[in-house]
Amino acid sequence: AEDPFPGEGGIKRRGLAFPDPANYPDCHVAAPFSLASIGVTVLDLGVVHRAAFAPRYWSSKGCLYHHAYPVGYRASKTHFGRSWTMTIDAGEVGPIFRVVDDASGAVFEGVTPTKPWTAVCESMRTKTRISGPLFFGFSDPVTMRALAELYTAEELAACVSGGTVPSAPGEHSALERVVAELERTVEG
């Protein structure tokens, strides 16, 4: 297949290469910014979580782009005739994705970007499905370029190559060790 972004570099995911900032030396993206194609405004990029359970604060390598889920990330979108605010907070063992109906204050949460949007659809009985990564703005290369400026050199290299984001060796909390042991020994 023909490369849709010749000279972009990086590993292609579903036909797209990670938008490596090295390919855009004179381009700086800072929040707030709007993604006109999907009607999302990224208000705050947040910070990359590098403490306990840090690997859980990254998308899976199979996602459109491999990227961090930064704590403090905040975006807004109008959908279903309502304004929504989306945030990412630090949970006990990983990120918590929140979608808030700005008018009613109703809060929808989940452990992935799609979970709260699924709850929104169910509460409104829409019989539709929503891509959480798309609605949070993570499917847009502009957001990826903005987030890339938060990464260490090793984290950026992992995003560009499609590799695993490095974690600090030996720096695991007691809770991380317990959870890891439970995941190894308990089925289901």
Side-chain angles (χ1 to χ4, degrees):
E2 187 177 317
D3 185 353
F5 300 101
E8 293 283 318
I11 301 297
K12 285 195 258 181
R13 300 192 175 293
R14 297 188 205 168
L16 299 176
F18 185 85
D20 186 345
N23 295 323
Y24 308 93
D26 298 324
C27 180
H28 172 72
V29 180
F33 58 88
S34 293
L35 305 170
S37 64
I38 57 174
V40 170
T41 298
V42 176
L43 302 165
D44 191 332
L45 291 170
V47 296
V48 176
H49 181 87
R50 296 185 178 99
F53 295 99
R56 292 184 179 199
Y57 288 81
W58 286 82
S59 68
S60 70
K61 292 190 298 180
C63 289
L64 185 61
Y65 297 110
H66 187 42
H67 61 88
Y69 291 130
V71 173
Y73 181 90
R74 197 166 48 97
S76 65
K77 178 168 183 56
T78 299
H79 196 68
F80 299 129
R82 299 178 185 195
S83 294
W84 306 88
T85 299
M86 300 162 282
T87 60
I88 303 173
D89 295 312
E92 241 183 288
V93 296
I96 303 295
F97 298 86
R98 285 193 179 89
V99 175
V100 177
D101 179 339
D102 293 340
S104 72
V107 178
F108 303 88
E109 296 185 344
V111 296
T112 68
T114 298
K115 295 253 187 223
W117 278 111
T118 299
V120 167
C121 291
E122 289 170 352
S123 77
M124 297 182 76
R125 303 185 202 302
T126 64
K127 297 183 181 180
T128 60
R129 295 176 55 116
I130 289 175
S131 165
L134 177 70
F135 272 37
F136 268 80
F138 295 133
S139 298
D140 194 287
V142 173
T143 305
M144 292 300 103
R145 287 199 339 248
L147 290 176
E149 294 184 28
L150 305 175
Y151 301 156
T152 65
E154 293 82 14
E155 291 166 344
L156 180 58
C159 290
V160 171
S161 71
T164 302
V165 175
S167 60
E171 293 184 23
H172 299 287
S173 70
L175 182 57
E176 283 179 293
R177 290 190 296 274
V178 169
V179 169
E181 182 61 26
L182 286 171
E183 287 175 340
R184 279 193 298 275
T185 59
V186 176
E187 284 188 40

